[in-house]
Amino acid sequence: MRDGRPLVDVLINLLMFSITMNVQRSEVVARENKGILEKLGIPVIQGITTLSTKDEWESNLQGLNPMDVSISVAMPEFDGALITVPVAAREVTEIDPVTGASITKYLPITERLTKLISLSLRWAKLRHIPNEKKKIAIIFHNYPPRNDNIGCAFGLDSPASVWNILHNLQEAGYKLDYLPEDGQALMKDVLDRVTNDRRWASPEELVQRAVDSVSLEQYSGWFRELPGEVREKMIESWGEPPGEVFCYGGKLLIPGIINGNIFIGLQPPRGFLDDPTSIYHSPDLPVPHHYLAYYRWIRDVFRADAVMHIGKHGSLEWLPGKGVGLSASCYPDMVISDLPNIYPYIINNPGEGTQAKRRSYCCIIDHLVPVMHNADTYEEMAEVEKQLEDYYQAKTQDPAKLPYLQKLVWEKVCEAKLNHDLGLATDDTPADFEAFVEELHGYLSELKDTQIRDGLHILGEPPTGSRLVEFLVALTRLANGEVPSLRQSLAEMQGYDYEQLLANRGKLNPSGKTNGQVLEEIHHLSLDLVSRFNEVNFDECLVNSVCEEILGQTDPRVEKTLLYIAQVLAGRIAATTDELTHTREALGGQFVPPGPSGAPTRGMANILPTGRNFYSVDPKAIPSPAAWKVGVELADNLLARYISDEGHYPENVGMVIWGTGVMRTKGDDIAEILYLLGVRPVWQPQSGRVMGIEVIPLEELKRPRIDVTLRISGLFRDAFPNIVTMLDEAIEKIAFLDEPPDQNFIAKHVQEEITNKVKEGIDPEQAKEEACYRIFGCKPGAYGAGVSNLIDAQNWQDEKDLGQVYVVWGGYAYGKKQYGKVVPEIFKRRLSQLDVALQNVDNREYDMMDSDDFYSYHGGMIAAVRAFKGENPRAYIGDSSDPERVKTRSTAEEAKHVFRSRVLNPKWLKSMQKHGYKGAADISRAVDNVFGWDATAEVMEDWMYEQLAQKYALDKEMQEWLKKVNPYALQNIAERLLEAIERGMWKTTSQMKEDLRDVYLDVEGELEESQEKSKERLGL
């Protein structure tokens, strides 16, 4: 530093471990180093020194070994370092003849070192290029590649966010020819040009609309630079360059628009929908020629100085290749090349954001989740609730009316199909009506009290006014460390037992109110209290007076939470503006500070503010002691639910494990698996790291050990190789305990399988190994479960097709000795034996119908079991959104819960309508996900489709709004609903089918007209 300014433009760090966290170093040193990188203010580029030899790294599809991932990747991320590639490998270890010390030599990996230097120079140059000359490529994700879904980014209004970025850059001196009026106008400009959806224009028109194109000669030059093995794979899958995808007249077209020095483009199609048959056999399908050409055009023709990918998430970081520590033959490495990559990403998804950091070398700019608020009640449910109030009132004031009111309540319940939610599908009035009323009221209360999103977040815009109040109430609903829950504090201040209120929502208490009504009153009291506090600008000196005014008294626990809002939360939410500030600074080659990640409404509000380059977890510290507690509760709750449903313990549980949930919760899922098996972690006292596992004796466990089969994600495989090994060791340890078969189901099944395999002539050692395979995942270098690709391609007939793809994409065994061993038949056999198919959710900031990954992995498992076993398993979702109060629902129950609380809720729909094109896009995608869940797990009933059609497709106001902001969304909604009818998934009237077809044809006609208007605007 000189005069407070750095003398260097970029810092390359080759050291292992972390500079600023106190693992493996003293707390004093960590504290002294804490602000040094922010003070320096320049990008920190992490070059990886691998403990493997060069040959081991090159041949290893995993890339880096578990120790490398921990000390050379995960830990430097805590410092805000930008993760890159291995630049040196451990080659020689010798003994010094004088001292006897062990000497290790590391030799450079020349090609990767060149990559690091090139990338570092690119970041350094950002500090010297004048803003008016700097060129930036902004990339909208677009999967599925349809016009209704451009800018797909979970929880983010991507068009409005890009408009904010453009406005911010224009003010900073970047060259724009014009600033669109708003995000909606921006999308109109994008849709006028070539998009990834080629259904709406002729080849000639596509060429005319393209912002540019890449000739065969130009692309061939780029293609020849690729490693030979990559060229062979691409030609095998897509033919000789330039292929057919986006190729017209021998040229590869470039979708997007150029505005001054800013290119706004659409990420190219991944390729599975262009070659749907590949879904059945090629989970590691190479990218089409167009994909590579697109990014090379950005780098070498448009000459971008940096690229930005907008929101969670695109396909770049999921392309085939090593998990971490990429080589020149890995597709993400080839595609991103040496372009500085800046990636706004939602803070509650550390796993997938971490994948982008490690496989596309990006700098994350994390952004806030949408404001969360209560679902409340509406329409038919509100009418039922009113009938219940009349019923309760008559019980005390006019009992003679009760028979009549019972009839009205039951009729209204059946009309709203709420009897289906409660497992009462018959038309007969329940015999124990009082018990039914209590259950019904409890269910309605839980639906009303469910947190749902209030629209979408816009980058750099903190919530204000009533939205800020609602968000603060949501953030303090659970305890945040030592800060008590505001809701619980208010309940206990009034003399209520908070646990009893939550556990018995439908029960009448001595006040004459149900516990659900009390909770609702407390919620509104929370809103009133925080609203008043907002009016006095969260002045901590006024905490007592605000409490006295709103509550009529003071309470130390309530005061502590209000002080937390005043001293911490209000300021951190206001700092949401850093999302734009740090985006601009990153483009200027400045340091973006690191920060934690997770779900803020899950008692983790301390992770705010946003706008930082988030980090995840130390993989060696999974599961944490806190996660162990939650995992035990999840396992106990699951087993209790299964026993309630079936009358005995399950022998075989199948479980979907994602890296994101493990990172967010510090290992709840891992703890649950271990406890189901009957083992527990052993932690190192000083560091909190897991040293190993120990068997829980049966007399302490007090139940059988459960056989668990895992379907892990590719991200989990990459991020937690150490946990894969630990789980494999736990399985093997339990499998060979000398215990009664009825107390150790995994040992029972392993011994049976060994016996059968030996009889078939398989070597005993091989039989023993294969009988223990319980961890299955994606093909090495590949990602996903394949089922959603198949459903989006409409290339399936029944569950046999879905099951086949689930096995093709997931039939690879992992463990301490296996890394993706191809064993589809073993995986298929495991699936055919499952009693339970389970996945957990750990927050309400997103739900099962928010992403196709949910139905692809969990729904795909259910469909595969149905295909191979001949019947559905018990399918459950474990809910730990409140870690102190976990619960288990069936997938059908969870589907109805999400359907009622969010998907059909006018409150949610109206909040999405504030976001124009992107709000409509997310509504359209919700229909896709509902359809996908029904195709896989059969969770939809006819009345649910009926309601969906009425609200999303046939409602006149909704139709007009969709036509105005995103008519492609209405077209997709109608098409999906018609597909459900055609496939026999929804049995409805011929009139409904005709009405939907009319909507489809009507909007199709309007879209064709809009294409003509686009041509006129472009002068074509």
Side-chain angles (χ1 to χ4, degrees):
M1 301 285 286
R2 179 184 293 164
D3 301 326
R5 296 175 63 85
L7 295 174
V8 295
D9 296 313
V10 68
L11 175 65
I12 298 174
N13 180 37
L14 303 181
L15 296 176
M16 300 173 184
F17 299 102
S18 165
I19 299 172
T20 60
M21 64 181 288
N22 63 349
V23 173
Q24 305 292 340
R25 63 178 67 250
S26 78
E27 195 167 332
V28 173
V29 171
R31 187 166 58 248
E32 288 177 351
N33 288 343
K34 193 68 179 173
I36 191 169
L37 297 179
E38 289 187 49
K39 185 178 180 182
L40 194 59
I42 57 176
V44 179
I45 310 295
Q46 184 71 27
I48 299 166
T49 304
T50 174
L51 299 174
S52 302
T53 68
K54 181 173 180 284
D55 288 344
E56 287 170 342
W57 164 73
E58 284 181 333
S59 62
N60 186 358
L61 290 169
Q62 186 176 357
L64 301 180
N65 62 50
M67 185 60 72
D68 286 337
V69 173
S70 178
I71 65 176
S72 293
V73 178
M75 288 189 186
E77 286 171 345
F78 283 82
D79 302 331
L82 307 181
I83 304 303
T84 62
V85 297
V87 295
R90 180 176 184 162
E91 293 297 336
V92 181
T93 300
E94 55 190 41
I95 302 299
D96 181 74
V98 178
T99 64
S102 176
I103 300 174
T104 299
K105 293 183 180 179
Y106 290 87
L107 300 180
I109 305 172
T110 306
E111 184 275 329
R112 293 286 81 188
L113 193 56
T114 302
K115 170 85 174 193
L116 175 77
I117 292 168
S118 180
L119 185 60
S120 300
L121 288 172
R122 284 272 196 165
W123 276 101
K125 286 178 182 177
L126 291 176
R127 299 177 65 84
H128 296 281
I129 304 170
N131 285 350
E132 64 269 19
K133 294 185 178 180
K134 198 174 293 181
K135 289 190 155 190
I136 308 298
I138 297 175
I139 306 298
F140 280 126
H141 307 311
N142 185 201
Y143 182 84
R146 304 186 311 238
N147 278 353
D148 67 305
N149 201 37
I150 296 169
C152 52
F154 177 72
L156 187 70
D157 186 333
S158 46
S161 296
V162 168
W163 188 92
N164 277 358
I165 292 169
L166 293 175
H167 182 256
N168 202 260
L169 294 182
Q170 187 182 56
E171 289 188 335
Y174 286 73
K175 181 186 174 185
L176 273 75
D177 293 333
Y178 67 99
L179 183 67
E181 183 179 348
D182 52 23
Q184 190 71 27
L186 172 63
M187 294 313 298
K188 187 176 180 181
D189 291 345
V190 169
L191 286 162
D192 275 348
R193 290 288 181 176
V194 168
T195 68
N196 290 330
D197 193 340
R198 287 157 280 164
R199 296 175 296 174
W200 304 100
S202 68
E204 294 75 20
E205 288 175 8
L206 290 173
V207 172
Q208 290 177 314
R209 288 170 184 251
V211 71
D212 201 355
S213 61
V214 174
S215 69
L216 172 60
E217 181 183 7
Q218 189 171 37
Y219 176 68
S220 295
W222 295 334
F223 188 68
R224 284 193 294 270
E225 296 173 14
L226 301 180
E229 61 181 293
V230 172
R231 295 198 303 269
E232 289 175 12
K233 288 179 181 177
M234 290 182 69
I235 290 171
E236 182 183 348
S237 295
W238 301 106
E240 293 286 343
E244 296 181 2
V245 178
F246 261 99
C247 185
Y248 298 91
K251 294 182 177 181
L252 294 165
L253 305 186
I254 303 297
I257 59 175
I258 294 176
N259 183 346
N261 283 342
I262 310 295
F263 170 65
I264 301 171
L266 283 60
Q267 191 168 61
R270 171 66 181 83
F272 285 113
L273 301 188
D274 292 286
D275 179 15
T277 59
S278 66
I279 301 168
Y280 283 95
H281 55 75
S282 302
D284 57 348
L285 181 73
V287 295
H289 295 290
H290 175 256
Y291 200 110
L292 179 64
Y294 190 84
Y295 277 89
R296 286 301 298 266
W297 177 90
I298 288 173
R299 180 186 184 275
D300 296 343
V301 179
F302 178 71
R303 295 187 176 277
D305 297 299
V307 63
M308 293 183 65
H309 291 88
I310 305 300
K312 171 204 162 184
H313 63 70
S315 57
L316 170 63
E317 57 268 29
W318 305 100
L319 299 179
K322 295 181 188 295
V324 62
L326 274 57
S327 74
S329 296
C330 298
Y331 288 90
D333 185 272
M334 287 183 288
V335 169
I336 196 62
S337 186
D338 56 2
L339 284 168
N341 183 11
I342 296 150
Y343 208 150
Y345 215 97
I346 193 164
I347 194 173
N348 69 4
N349 202 303
E352 292 173 312
T354 295
Q355 193 78 345
K357 289 167 68 124
R358 297 176 184 178
R359 300 188 85 241
S360 69
Y361 320 133
C362 75
C363 175
I364 290 285
I365 310 288
D366 61 23
H367 69 75
L368 199 61
V369 300
V371 166
M372 302 293 290
H373 59 183
N374 274 21
D376 295 333
T377 193
Y378 58 90
E379 297 167 358
E380 292 174 322
M381 289 196 299
E383 294 174 17
V384 171
E385 192 172 48
K386 178 64 173 67
Q387 295 283 4
L388 284 175
E389 289 176 9
D390 293 344
Y391 181 81
Y392 283 127
Q393 188 174 11
K395 283 184 70 174
T396 56
Q397 298 180 11
D398 193 358
K401 284 186 176 178
L402 288 179
Y404 170 70
L405 291 174
Q406 284 183 2
K407 182 174 179 293
L408 288 183
V409 168
W410 180 246
E411 287 175 352
K412 188 59 68 176
V413 163
C414 292
E415 184 181 325
K417 306 296 183 185
L418 283 162
N419 54 323
H420 291 244
D421 297 43
L422 301 177
L424 301 169
T426 67
D427 294 332
D428 299 330
T429 306
D432 187 344
F433 201 78
E434 291 304 312
F436 162 72
V437 164
E438 185 174 319
E439 183 183 8
L440 173 63
H441 192 93
Y443 180 64
L444 291 174
S445 170
E446 189 174 7
L447 287 173
K448 288 176 63 176
D449 205 28
T450 297
Q451 291 188 342
I452 62 171
R453 298 184 300 279
D454 179 15
L456 301 167
H457 177 62
I458 299 175
L459 200 73
E461 295 187 14
T464 58
S466 62
R467 296 183 77 244
L468 173 60
V469 169
E470 287 189 310
F471 196 39
L472 287 168
V473 169
L475 290 172
T476 55
R477 179 168 174 160
L478 303 182
N480 287 277
E482 297 298 316
V483 179
S485 154
L486 179 59
R487 171 186 282 208
Q488 184 170 355
S489 299
L490 289 172
E492 292 172 354
M493 183 193 77
Q494 296 180 14
Y496 291 105
D497 183 325
Y498 187 58
E499 299 301 330
Q500 287 298 312
L501 292 178
L502 291 173
N504 302 282
R505 290 173 178 266
K507 188 177 288 294
L508 277 170
N509 57 54
S511 67
K513 301 172 185 173
T514 66
N515 289 337
Q517 289 172 323
V518 171
L519 285 168
E520 186 177 2
E521 289 179 358
I522 291 170
H523 175 68
H524 287 295
L525 188 61
S526 301
L527 291 170
D528 291 343
L529 183 66
V530 176
S531 179
R532 182 68 186 114
F533 199 28
N534 182 29
E535 289 172 2
V536 297
N537 298 314
F538 303 114
D539 187 339
E540 59 188 276
C541 298
L542 298 178
V543 165
N544 282 346
S545 62
V546 168
C547 286
E548 287 282 2
E549 178 184 344
I550 302 300
L551 307 177
Q553 65 183 94
T554 60
D555 179 89
R557 286 162 55 86
V558 173
E559 289 177 10
K560 187 173 184 178
T561 305
L562 292 183
L563 282 172
Y564 175 63
I565 290 173
Q567 296 169 354
V568 178
L569 285 188
R572 291 188 181 183
I573 292 173
T576 302
T577 52
D578 285 348
E579 295 170 4
L580 283 173
T581 304
H582 289 159
T583 297
R584 187 180 66 245
E585 289 175 350
L587 290 169
Q590 297 183 51
F591 181 74
V592 174
S597 53
T601 62
R602 196 183 187 252
M604 300 175 68
N606 284 330
I607 66 175
L608 301 176
T610 50
R612 299 186 285 184
N613 184 9
F614 69 44
Y615 50 78
S616 54
V617 293
D618 176 3
K620 298 285 188 180
I622 300 293
S624 69
W628 172 253
K629 179 184 174 186
V630 177
V632 169
E633 288 295 319
L634 282 165
D636 283 341
N637 205 267
L638 168 71
L639 295 177
R641 173 61 193 264
Y642 187 87
I643 291 169
S644 173
D645 288 340
E646 295 288 342
H648 57 83
Y649 283 103
E651 292 197 17
N652 290 282
V653 170
M655 193 169 176
V656 172
I657 304 295
W658 288 347
T660 291
V662 172
M663 290 180 180
R664 197 164 42 225
T665 66
K666 310 297 187 289
D668 288 2
D669 289 349
I670 307 308
E672 180 176 11
I673 295 162
L674 293 174
Y675 187 62
L676 286 170
L677 293 170
V679 299
R680 61 181 156 229
V682 178
W683 291 277
Q684 187 180 54
Q686 296 89 346
S687 67
R689 288 178 147 201
V690 177
M691 299 166 54
I693 54 172
E694 64 182 15
V695 174
I696 303 171
L698 283 173
E699 54 269 25
E700 181 184 340
L701 194 62
K702 295 183 172 58
R703 60 161 175 80
R705 304 185 194 279
I706 309 300
D707 193 347
V708 184
T709 294
L710 307 179
R711 172 48 165 106
I712 62 172
S713 67
L715 166 58
F716 182 88
R717 171 201 65 206
D718 296 346
F720 299 109
N722 60 304
I723 298 179
V724 171
T725 297
M726 178 179 68
L727 292 173
D728 190 44
E729 289 175 347
I731 288 162
E732 185 174 346
K733 183 174 286 191
I734 296 301
F736 297 103
L737 290 176
D738 184 13
E739 293 176 337
D742 63 346
Q743 292 300 301
N744 186 334
F745 295 137
I746 192 164
K748 172 188 172 183
H749 301 149
V750 166
Q751 292 303 325
E752 289 173 352
E753 189 159 339
I754 290 173
T755 300
N756 291 335
K757 284 179 177 289
V758 171
K759 285 180 180 177
E760 294 169 6
I762 296 176
D763 175 76
E765 282 303 309
Q766 182 183 345
K768 178 181 174 182
E769 180 182 307
E770 292 181 355
C772 289
Y773 290 169
R774 292 295 185 280
I775 305 171
F776 300 90
C778 312
K779 184 177 183 178
Y783 300 87
V787 173
S788 59
N789 304 79
L790 197 65
I791 288 174
D792 278 327
Q794 300 179 336
N795 188 31
W796 62 284
Q797 294 298 321
D798 53 28
E799 68 267 11
K800 292 185 179 67
D801 291 338
L802 303 177
Q804 178 187 342
V805 165
Y806 198 75
V807 167
V808 166
W809 285 56
Y812 300 84
Y814 289 87
K816 60 183 179 181
K817 296 179 182 176
Q818 305 83 35
Y819 187 80
K821 184 177 179 181
V822 186
V823 289
E825 289 305 313
I826 294 177
F827 186 40
K828 185 176 179 180
R829 184 161 61 250
R830 294 280 179 273
L831 291 166
S832 70
Q833 296 165 344
L834 294 184
D835 303 311
V836 170
L838 170 70
Q839 184 169 16
N840 293 329
V841 296
D842 58 74
N843 67 85
R844 284 288 163 189
E845 293 166 14
Y846 71 107
D847 57 53
M848 68 185 286
M849 290 180 180
D850 275 322
S851 166
D852 59 7
D853 282 335
F854 279 104
Y855 78 74
S856 195
Y857 278 86
H858 190 198
M861 178 181 281
I862 296 164
V865 174
R866 187 166 70 250
F868 306 138
K869 189 177 183 179
E871 61 184 32
N872 276 319
R874 284 286 179 179
Y876 297 120
I877 290 178
D879 179 359
S880 65
S881 54
D882 183 343
E884 298 293 323
R885 303 163 188 90
V886 305
K887 57 184 62 177
T888 302
R889 298 186 183 93
S890 71
T891 52
E893 291 166 349
E894 180 73 7
K896 290 184 176 68
H897 186 99
V898 172
F899 213 71
R900 300 267 192 197
S901 60
R902 182 178 67 83
V903 175
L904 293 181
N905 194 336
K907 191 174 182 179
W908 179 70
L909 290 171
K910 287 175 182 175
S911 76
M912 297 303 287
Q913 288 179 326
K914 297 174 185 176
H915 296 276
Y917 173 91
K918 182 53 162 59
D922 282 11
I923 288 171
S924 172
R925 196 59 180 146
V927 176
D928 289 339
N929 293 332
V930 166
F931 177 91
W933 264 110
D934 195 34
T936 55
E938 300 178 330
V939 297
M940 291 285 287
E941 297 179 14
D942 289 346
W943 69 266
M944 298 167 77
Y945 275 119
E946 197 85 20
Q947 288 283 305
L948 200 64
Q950 292 293 348
K951 289 201 170 190
Y952 282 45
L954 302 179
D955 180 86
K956 293 300 180 184
E957 288 186 14
M958 177 64 81
Q959 278 184 19
E960 292 308 310
W961 175 74
L962 287 170
K963 287 178 181 179
K964 178 181 177 183
V965 301
N966 188 346
Y968 299 98
L970 179 58
Q971 188 254 359
N972 181 66
I973 290 167
E975 183 178 12
R976 275 296 196 197
L977 292 170
L978 285 167
E979 184 182 356
I981 296 171
E982 293 296 335
R983 289 184 178 275
M985 295 160 57
W986 174 20
K987 294 178 174 56
T988 188
T989 63
S990 56
Q991 184 62 53
M992 172 62 78
K993 185 175 180 179
E994 186 177 335
D995 290 345
L996 288 171
R997 188 177 286 115
D998 287 345
V999 170
Y1000 180 86
L1001 294 173
D1002 175 54
V1003 72
E1004 188 175 51
E1006 292 199 11
L1007 287 171
E1008 289 171 355
E1009 288 180 19
S1010 73
Q1011 292 295 313
E1012 292 301 317
K1013 291 177 182 177
S1014 291
K1015 287 169 61 178
E1016 291 175 12
R1017 283 193 293 272
L1018 295 172
L1020 301 179

